[in-house]
Amino acid sequence: MSGHDGQITSPPAPTGTDGRFTSDLAKTIFTESNRHRADRIAFNTGTTVVFSSINADLIAETLRNTPALYYKPQQRVGMRWRDVSQYKLIGNPRNALETMSDGTLRNLTAQTLWRTAHQKPEQFSVALIKYLRHASRRFGRNLDPKQLKTDLTTLQSIHIDTLSEDLRYVCASLALYIEAADLGLSEAVSTETGEELLTSLKRTIIPSDDPSMVPESVASNIIFGKLYSYTNRVLAAEHFQRARNLDSGNFLARFYVDLGARTYFTESDVRGNEANARTADILKSIEPVSSRQPTNDTSIVISVDATFFRIYAPTFLYYAQQLPDIDHSIVLCASEEEAWELSEDGNKLLHALDAVNNGGVAPNVHYYRAPVPEFAIEPKTFYASARFYAATLLLQRYSSVTLLDADLTADIDPRPHIRKTKRHSIAAVKSGGYTALSPWRRYMAGNVVVSSGDKSHNALSDMQRYLSLGLGLTDNWMLDQNALAFTVERNLSSFYNLGGAPRPYTQKPFRETWEKNYRRSIPAV
């Protein structure tokens, strides 16, 4: 990472722990150089080499005043200098990168970050992304302005002319949340009204379209859009659209936390002919894979491609055997031939389960096919969304359906939960705390209950049209939760919040091991 003029700039002046770090490092280099019987030390800045004699105070002074990234001791041999070791990194960039990647800057000094940014520029950018992702989750649960201010001060201590656009984006985001917290963000979130806070923010922050201020402009438009999203979808969409238009650094996709700004639409967008036509085509394409009739009045539903079927179907089918009074429906996003093959493999597994545990061959498993539409740019988003389209057909067969993410697993018997929630037109978990500031995290789409009736039909229609519009875009992974937020806004009187009840299905970190193991088992083509 270099300054805007292409030169590596001086490190931040050491203060507090920075000074102790420099002093300790100088002693380490001094001790090593003496061990090698060196006569001087070469410090490399990346563009120039600076030399110091073997003196701990002079070494410390060199570290303070020059942007040295590497060092090596040298011996005088006659009229020439001989290296006694290869260049070594100054400090421990690996430790700094790992700490940042965990979402914290604790115990990292400005000088340490500065050197890490210069020594490992690509890895530093990756660590910055991970830092903001983890930090966003952390202050989604508990916004701590004091810690954010400490982190911001540390990051801003890296001289401004060494700031990459990624670092500017992180600093701008932190600064905006700190400003908002000081002006009443807590009250805005708890009352779900951002107007008063917006008025206060506008006195000091004016989102700009200046191309030299892209990171700052994207960040400010994002927070303005989030606050407007509580009361005015049109104004919120305008700010998110402005952020998308300005986002030449691809911050929204790379940092991920605000990816939902890419698929935030207004009611007029969703009511367009394109969304209606796409929805009609998808609904017509969904069909049962077999003619087996329902055995119960409610069903749990997942939608998967072939890969997720082979990873998660064994658990799902085991649940079906153990819960004979609830149907289990799998929507296969596959060709006709592949869907038939997958369903047959699933049936074999049901027979194998019976052979192992004598629990019977579950008759309550049903397969449906939802082919991926041609306009879906990112098929994986359709895999996750297909259950919301299949619900229209399924509600002709059941009084209610529970639409789950395929990678959820049960901790407790889900039947009491399903009996309690199946009477609601539409139910989902509403997020609490600062997580709800982002409209695409305000309602969680991993566990959605829909019942039969006119109210649920209207809600499903809104959900499906929103999804259809967003499936034609790239970077649309937050689409289902954006669609759910839109649907709840338009059907608020029909919505029930599942957040207060114990939820039987949760997402376990161990699923990542399942996915890695399966993908590792696939022969390379």
Side-chain angles (χ1 to χ4, degrees):
M1 181 186 294
S2 63
H4 297 306
D5 58 0
Q7 299 297 312
I8 293 180
T9 53
S10 297
T15 58
T17 56
D18 275 319
R20 290 195 295 275
F21 168 79
T22 300
S23 176
D24 291 344
L25 181 60
K27 291 176 181 177
T28 299
I29 295 174
F30 173 75
T31 301
E32 179 189 353
S33 301
N34 273 333
R35 188 173 68 250
H36 287 295
R37 299 182 183 278
D39 297 298
R40 73 176 185 183
I41 303 159
F43 290 96
N44 194 321
T45 69
T47 55
T48 59
V49 178
V50 178
F51 301 98
S52 169
S53 59
I54 311 302
N55 178 288
D57 291 336
L58 292 176
I59 293 171
E61 184 179 349
T62 302
L63 290 171
R64 283 194 298 269
N65 298 327
T66 62
L69 306 177
Y70 315 93
Y71 74 92
K72 61 181 176 182
Q74 294 180 320
Q75 288 179 339
R76 182 73 176 261
V77 181
M79 301 296 292
R80 306 170 73 89
W81 290 95
R82 181 175 67 85
D83 298 337
V84 297
S85 76
Q86 303 247 339
Y87 270 121
K88 297 182 179 181
L89 290 171
I90 292 177
N92 186 350
R94 181 176 178 180
N95 178 65
L97 294 169
E98 289 177 351
T99 302
M100 290 175 65
S101 296
D102 288 337
T104 180
L105 301 182
R106 293 184 191 278
N107 302 319
L108 294 180
T109 67
Q111 274 206 342
T112 297
L113 289 173
W114 179 91
R115 293 191 194 282
T116 302
H118 285 80
Q119 291 166 338
K120 304 284 184 180
E122 293 181 4
Q123 294 94 322
F124 185 79
S125 286
V126 172
L128 262 183
I129 291 171
K130 292 180 179 179
Y131 161 76
L132 189 60
R133 286 183 184 181
H134 285 289
S136 296
R137 289 195 197 102
R138 191 175 66 245
F139 65 65
R141 296 188 298 269
N142 179 29
L143 182 63
D144 181 358
K146 183 178 179 181
Q147 183 59 51
L148 289 183
K149 289 176 183 176
T150 301
D151 286 2
L152 179 62
T153 299
T154 301
L155 291 171
Q156 287 179 330
S157 295
I158 305 174
H159 287 305
I160 193 67
D161 49 0
T162 69
L163 290 181
S164 68
E165 288 203 336
D166 283 357
L167 189 49
R168 287 171 57 194
Y169 181 71
V170 172
C171 288
S173 298
L174 295 182
L176 284 162
Y177 280 107
I178 292 167
E179 180 81 3
D182 289 344
L183 293 173
L185 180 59
S186 176
E187 183 178 356
V189 170
S190 63
T191 61
E192 299 187 359
T193 55
E195 298 294 337
E196 186 173 338
L197 176 54
L198 280 162
T199 300
S200 299
L201 281 175
K202 287 176 181 177
R203 295 193 186 107
T204 56
I205 301 168
I206 302 175
S208 169
D209 293 342
D210 185 343
S212 69
M213 298 291 289
V214 165
E216 294 77 11
S217 298
V218 172
S220 59
N221 274 293
I222 288 296
I223 196 167
F224 272 65
K226 288 179 179 181
L227 290 169
Y228 273 121
S229 73
Y230 282 120
T231 55
N232 193 319
R233 178 167 280 269
V234 172
L235 289 177
E238 287 179 4
H239 280 283
F240 292 140
Q241 179 65 57
R242 196 173 299 156
R244 295 196 296 268
N245 293 342
L246 289 166
D247 191 17
S248 57
N250 203 25
F251 302 116
L252 299 179
R254 292 189 301 108
F255 281 83
Y256 185 73
V257 291
D258 292 322
L259 184 64
R262 302 287 286 264
T263 53
Y264 187 92
F265 310 130
T266 65
E267 184 175 342
S268 61
D269 295 330
V270 177
R271 286 191 172 277
N273 292 332
E274 185 176 36
N276 288 328
R278 287 176 173 179
T279 300
D281 288 343
I282 292 174
L283 292 177
K284 283 189 294 186
S285 73
I286 298 174
E287 59 184 5
V289 175
S290 66
S291 57
R292 179 184 292 174
Q293 294 301 305
T295 54
N296 298 289
D297 71 342
T298 188
S299 181
I300 297 170
V301 185
I302 62 172
S303 55
V304 292
D305 69 332
T307 296
F308 261 41
F309 176 84
R310 300 197 179 281
I311 294 170
Y312 293 109
T315 303
F316 191 73
L317 295 177
Y318 180 66
Y319 291 159
Q321 186 201 48
Q322 299 299 308
L323 302 168
D325 48 345
I326 299 174
D327 277 9
H328 285 63
S329 300
I330 302 178
V331 181
L332 300 168
C333 303
S335 67
E336 190 171 353
E337 180 181 356
E338 186 177 39
W340 178 258
E341 177 187 331
L342 292 171
S343 68
E344 285 297 294
D345 287 346
N347 290 333
K348 292 174 186 175
L349 182 55
L350 289 174
H351 282 83
L353 275 173
D354 175 44
V356 170
N357 65 11
N358 201 32
V361 178
N364 56 335
V365 175
H366 304 270
Y367 296 97
Y368 299 84
R369 188 175 79 90
V372 180
E374 291 184 0
F375 65 81
I377 293 178
E378 297 194 1
K380 72 171 186 176
T381 304
F382 181 75
Y383 305 154
S385 304
R387 57 199 160 110
F388 297 107
Y389 292 100
T392 296
L393 173 60
L394 290 165
L395 286 174
Q396 296 172 20
R397 300 180 156 210
Y398 301 102
S399 64
S400 70
V401 290
T402 300
L403 310 173
L404 295 181
D405 276 341
D407 58 359
L408 299 184
T409 53
D411 290 329
I412 57 176
D413 187 338
R415 286 174 292 191
H417 174 81
I418 290 173
R419 283 195 294 269
K420 181 179 179 180
T421 59
K422 69 179 184 178
R423 67 182 183 271
H424 299 291
S425 296
I426 181 168
V429 174
K430 183 178 181 181
S431 300
Y434 293 99
T435 299
L437 179 62
S438 301
W440 44 88
R441 297 188 185 277
R442 200 163 291 160
Y443 302 93
M444 308 309 291
N447 183 352
V448 179
V449 178
V450 185
S451 65
S452 59
D454 291 341
K455 290 181 178 179
S456 59
H457 173 79
N458 293 337
L460 267 182
S461 179
D462 288 332
M463 184 91 178
Q464 291 162 353
R465 285 185 287 113
Y466 197 107
L467 290 169
S468 296
L469 185 61
L471 284 169
L473 302 175
T474 58
D475 298 320
N476 58 8
W477 188 238
M478 294 289 181
L479 176 62
D480 57 352
Q481 294 190 167
N482 259 330
L484 184 57
F486 174 81
T487 300
V488 173
E489 287 172 24
R490 285 182 44 79
N491 301 271
L492 191 56
S493 63
S494 305
F495 174 73
Y496 177 77
N497 179 16
L498 297 176
R503 297 191 297 279
Y505 291 98
T506 56
Q507 194 178 62
K508 303 299 184 185
F510 188 47
R511 76 190 193 284
E512 296 176 3
T513 301
W514 296 1
E515 293 177 17
K516 288 177 183 177
N517 287 342
Y518 175 74
R519 291 189 170 96
R520 195 180 296 124
S521 72
I522 301 173
V525 178

